Amino acid sequence: MERQRRWPIAKKAACSVALPLLVLAANPAWALNASISGVSDEVEDNIDAYLQTIDEELYTDVRLEGKIRLRTQEAMRVYGYYEPKITVDLQQTPIELRITPGPQVKIDVLSINIEGEAKDDPPFQAALDRFPLREGDALRHAPWDRLRNQFSGLALERGYFDWGFTDRRMEVRPYLESARLYMDFNSGPRYQFGNTSITGSHIEPDRLRKMQTFEAGESYLAESLALYNQRLAETGWFSSVSVRPRLDTAQELTMSPPTGGSPWWDEATASQPQRPRLSSAAFASALSISKGDDTTLPIDVNVEPADRHQFEVGIGFATDVGPRMRFGWNQPWINRFGHSLEHDLYISAPDQRFTGTYNIPLDDPLRDSYRLQYGVRNLDDGDTRSLEATVEIARRWEFENRWVQTLYFRTTYEDFTQGGVSDQVLLYYPGIQWSRTRTRPQRFPLWGDRQQLSIEYSDTIWGSDAQFARLTGDTEWIRTIGDDNRFLARLSVGAIETDDFDKLPPSLRFFAGGDRSVRGYSFESLSPRNAEGRLRGGQQMLTSTLEYQRRVSGDWWGATFVDSGDAFDNWGPEDLKTGAGVGVRWVSPVGPIRLDVAHPFDHEDDWRLHFSIGPEF
């Protein structure tokens, strides 16, 4: 009986098809070149893969012919052909291989049984239901080996650590053209989560326990541990996180990932350091001491604090603002409750701003929090001059579907001159925002979307200098067809309803044009103008983008696009400003770099260059 005590490592199934295919992928220069006839499709492909590992220069003709016959037989057995007739002609170039496959072995007896608590566990039954072979079918080895690996992988993932095969046989009788397959899998009992022990934390342990994705007494699931590990890492409080069951011995061992590279495991552990793994034999030896019949597994959480002060400096350039610099100072934790503080300084020729965010996490730090935001900004850009100070208190929720809802109250003082008209205003206004951003991969998304909808309202009743209702909405989509065709679509809308438009500061009015708006026009150069021809800002705004990108080579992409939009005072403008052009994208180590040349349709001889660094969203 093949029986392994607690925490076995699933043995690597050497699938007789996979290894040659991997070797084929390497495409060595010395691979044997042969012409194969008599078989087709997957059988022919597998024979060809097996022959790729033969270096004919190492063999005499007699030994080479024998090697080719042996490899061909091995390649055909996995598809049930055990008695092929093979003719090898070494005098031809390429070598000729003529095959008469002979009869295909059929499955005479198929017996697969699951014993133990896994007998009624749906994933095991689903794996059994998906098994494609039935009695009377042609024998194929790969599904049989795959089922064996699925059983052992599920056992590790779902807490059956006393699993074993009481019987596992493949009896082939070529002379009878039949095969008998037997697999009896005994899972043993399923283990349960025990109490959680946390060490090394500078944050209140109760805060970390509230983030658990499992409860003591629940059936063990490796995915829950991996997700808990991921959640702790995402808080930013720790430089390293380790979540693992407590072993009887060899405490420094770490779990091997589930068989088959499960997507949830890869995602949850992508940011974690790689740890050494033990061989199956060493693991079995280390854990040979039995602990009796106790099936409760305590969970050990070990963390190390992140640096209390983190700094970031960025230097860039964009056509709209010229050279720019950013300095960030982040404190991921400032007390034992996990409060955090961020400061950001941005400097460019027309725009300088300093902002700060004090974050107070609640029971679920990743999803629920209070935020205090504050900042000052100085803007001097053409017809717009503004000195602004803002304080905002917000409550943030993130839902299971990744939508984020933010309810906030904002106070803004702004001393501004817009289009030659100056004023000073103090505004108090609440707002609500819904947003969601999904991308993969992060650096240069090949799939993703961004949605945002904001509603704000101000009234003189509570002391604000202007009454208004303001709505903004953005939607952006990225989709890729194949590996080389990337599409981007963007739509932005905005509207203000007010009788006090002259009291609204530039930060609340609408302007269009620029790298991320309507290319072919300078930054925020599209809006209604006053009698002197100066930009005044609009009460409504609409912009849209359609862009197609084609991979040229490696990380280089070409692009073609059409942008259309404007800012205006009344819905239904007579015409929108439109620009079109071509561009180049380079996915650099520091992020995507975009260079576009755009032509505005209402200026026949005008062209504008747009350059920027960073992803679309």
Side-chain angles (χ1 to χ4, degrees):
M1 168 175 128
E2 295 182 37
R3 193 87 172 158
Q4 299 179 11
R5 285 301 296 171
R6 201 162 297 132
W7 300 99
I9 294 291
K11 295 180 181 178
K12 295 181 180 178
C15 176
S16 51
V17 180
L19 179 59
L21 288 176
L22 289 174
V23 177
L24 174 60
N27 195 25
W30 43 259
L32 183 72
N33 186 17
S35 172
I36 303 171
S37 61
V39 292
S40 59
D41 300 330
E42 58 187 5
V43 179
E44 180 183 3
D45 292 340
N46 203 41
I47 293 172
D48 185 64
Y50 268 74
L51 296 180
Q52 297 304 311
T53 62
I54 299 176
D55 183 357
E56 56 185 306
E57 295 182 359
L58 299 179
Y59 300 92
T60 64
D61 286 353
V62 173
R63 290 187 62 201
L64 178 60
E65 181 176 344
K67 193 68 172 178
I68 292 174
R69 289 180 183 274
L70 178 61
R71 290 290 176 85
T72 302
Q73 291 169 350
E74 292 173 349
M76 297 185 67
R77 282 174 189 161
V78 299
Y79 292 103
Y81 296 101
Y82 276 76
E83 295 184 319
K85 294 181 180 179
I86 303 168
T87 302
V88 180
D89 189 347
L90 300 177
Q91 305 305 316
Q92 300 297 321
T93 303
I95 295 172
E96 285 190 2
L97 189 61
R98 295 183 292 275
I99 302 171
T100 302
Q104 193 173 17
V105 170
K106 298 295 196 298
I107 299 174
D108 185 38
V109 176
L110 180 62
S111 176
I112 304 174
N113 300 295
I114 301 174
E115 300 296 334
E117 294 185 13
K119 183 176 182 179
D120 299 319
D121 198 350
F124 283 87
Q125 291 299 321
L128 190 57
D129 293 341
R130 289 193 300 267
F131 185 64
L133 301 181
R134 299 290 183 268
E135 290 183 356
D137 290 349
L139 173 64
R140 288 183 290 128
H141 290 201
W144 180 254
D145 294 335
R146 190 161 52 245
L147 182 64
R148 176 193 62 195
N149 294 336
Q150 286 176 331
F151 280 168
S152 59
L154 285 171
L156 289 176
E157 292 176 28
R158 302 183 65 77
Y160 299 97
F161 301 117
D162 296 333
W163 66 273
F165 289 100
T166 56
D167 191 10
R168 191 183 64 196
R169 291 176 290 148
M170 177 185 291
E171 299 178 356
V172 181
R173 295 173 172 82
Y175 57 91
L176 295 177
E177 300 175 15
S178 69
R180 298 180 179 182
L181 308 182
Y182 303 91
M183 185 183 296
D184 293 334
F185 176 81
N186 192 328
S187 69
R190 187 174 186 182
Y191 283 64
Q192 294 80 42
F193 287 113
N195 294 325
T196 300
S197 174
I198 299 174
T199 59
S201 178
H202 56 295
I203 305 298
E204 285 289 329
D206 286 345
R207 306 224 70 182
L208 307 189
R209 290 191 177 94
K210 288 180 180 179
M211 298 174 64
Q212 282 187 194
T213 52
F214 54 87
E215 298 290 340
E218 288 183 357
S219 296
Y220 177 91
L221 193 62
E223 181 179 2
S224 296
L225 285 187
L227 293 178
Y228 185 33
N229 197 104
Q230 180 187 31
R231 297 193 71 192
L232 292 178
E234 287 178 351
T235 62
W237 295 334
F238 310 109
S239 61
S240 68
V241 178
S242 172
V243 180
R244 60 190 181 187
R246 184 180 304 163
L247 308 181
D248 289 342
T249 59
Q251 290 290 327
E252 296 306 315
L253 299 179
T254 59
M255 282 185 54
S256 291
T259 303
S262 300
W264 59 261
W265 180 280
D266 295 338
E267 180 178 351
T269 60
S271 62
Q272 300 303 308
Q274 295 297 312
R275 301 181 182 272
R277 312 293 184 189
L278 291 184
S279 67
S280 299
F283 218 148
S285 175
L287 303 179
S288 59
I289 300 177
S290 175
K291 182 178 136 180
D293 296 328
D294 186 7
T295 58
T296 300
L297 290 172
I299 304 302
D300 289 332
V301 178
N302 184 266
V303 296
E304 295 181 10
D307 292 338
R308 194 164 188 172
H309 299 276
Q310 301 174 4
F311 302 94
E312 181 180 357
V313 178
I315 299 175
F317 178 88
T319 310
D320 293 336
V321 298
R324 58 190 181 187
M325 184 188 77
R326 176 181 174 271
F327 177 78
W329 173 27
N330 179 30
Q331 294 177 264
W333 58 275
I334 59 176
N335 56 31
R336 61 192 178 92
F337 300 107
H339 295 190
S340 62
L341 185 61
E342 298 178 7
H343 285 110
D344 189 88
L345 175 64
Y346 173 88
I347 298 175
S348 67
D351 189 3
Q352 306 88 45
R353 56 181 181 263
F354 175 79
T355 59
T357 302
Y358 187 86
N359 185 64
I360 304 174
L362 301 178
D363 285 347
D364 189 341
L366 297 179
R367 293 183 174 175
D368 300 323
S369 63
Y370 285 106
R371 292 184 177 181
L372 172 64
Q373 295 179 299
Y374 46 89
V376 293
R377 182 185 187 188
N378 180 66
L379 178 64
D380 188 351
D381 185 24
D383 294 335
T384 303
R385 285 187 298 168
S386 170
L387 179 62
E388 174 189 359
T390 299
V391 176
E392 175 185 297
I393 298 175
R395 174 71 164 89
R396 179 183 182 275
W397 299 264
E398 181 175 341
F399 305 111
E400 293 287 347
N401 58 9
R402 298 180 63 181
W403 278 94
V404 176
Q405 176 180 276
T406 305
L407 186 65
Y408 56 90
F409 184 85
R410 185 177 298 163
T411 300
T412 297
Y413 172 80
E414 195 159 346
D415 183 354
F416 67 91
T417 299
Q418 182 63 56
V421 179
S422 300
D423 206 343
Q424 299 176 355
V425 295
L426 180 61
L427 303 175
Y428 307 100
Y429 53 99
I432 187 170
Q433 181 184 90
W434 296 276
S435 63
R436 183 178 69 176
T437 299
R438 302 179 297 176
T439 60
R440 59 174 188 260
Q442 193 74 27
R443 187 163 63 104
F444 185 68
L446 299 178
W447 181 96
D449 57 74
R450 180 180 66 88
Q451 322 296 331
Q452 180 174 300
L453 176 65
S454 299
I455 302 173
E456 299 167 333
Y457 181 75
S458 178
D459 202 307
T460 55
I461 294 176
W462 52 68
S464 189
D465 285 344
Q467 181 180 14
F468 65 86
R470 187 173 186 268
L471 179 147
T472 59
D474 297 277
T475 181
E476 189 167 1
W477 299 79
I478 293 176
R479 292 294 185 267
T480 304
I481 297 179
D483 295 327
D484 302 325
N485 301 283
R486 187 171 183 260
F487 297 86
L488 182 146
R490 182 190 301 123
L491 178 68
S492 297
V493 297
I496 301 173
E497 181 62 36
T498 182
D499 293 329
D500 301 322
F501 185 74
D502 289 340
K503 284 284 186 180
L504 294 188
S507 60
L508 295 177
R509 303 184 188 188
F510 293 111
F511 301 85
D515 296 340
R516 294 179 177 269
S517 180
V518 184
R519 284 164 288 188
Y521 298 86
S522 59
F523 180 60
E524 295 191 347
S525 63
L526 300 179
S527 88
R529 298 176 180 267
N530 59 21
E532 298 175 351
R534 296 180 177 180
L535 295 173
R536 189 169 58 87
Q539 289 187 240
Q540 286 87 34
M541 182 266 299
L542 173 66
T543 64
S544 63
T545 292
L546 287 176
E547 183 170 320
Y548 167 66
Q549 300 172 10
R550 172 75 180 180
R551 189 193 303 271
V552 178
S553 177
D555 291 331
W556 290 90
W557 298 68
T560 181
F561 57 86
V562 175
D563 299 334
S564 186
D566 205 346
F568 37 85
D569 285 331
N570 297 298
W571 280 108
E574 295 182 1
D575 58 81
L576 297 174
K577 305 296 184 182
T578 300
V582 296
V584 176
R585 309 286 180 265
W586 176 43
V587 188
S588 75
V590 298
I593 297 177
R594 301 189 301 276
L595 178 65
D596 294 320
V597 179
H599 170 60
F601 284 179
D602 60 346
H603 296 282
E604 189 170 325
D605 298 326
D606 197 10
W607 293 88
R608 186 169 181 82
L609 186 69
H610 295 272
F611 176 81
S612 59
I613 301 175
E616 287 86 357
F617 55 86

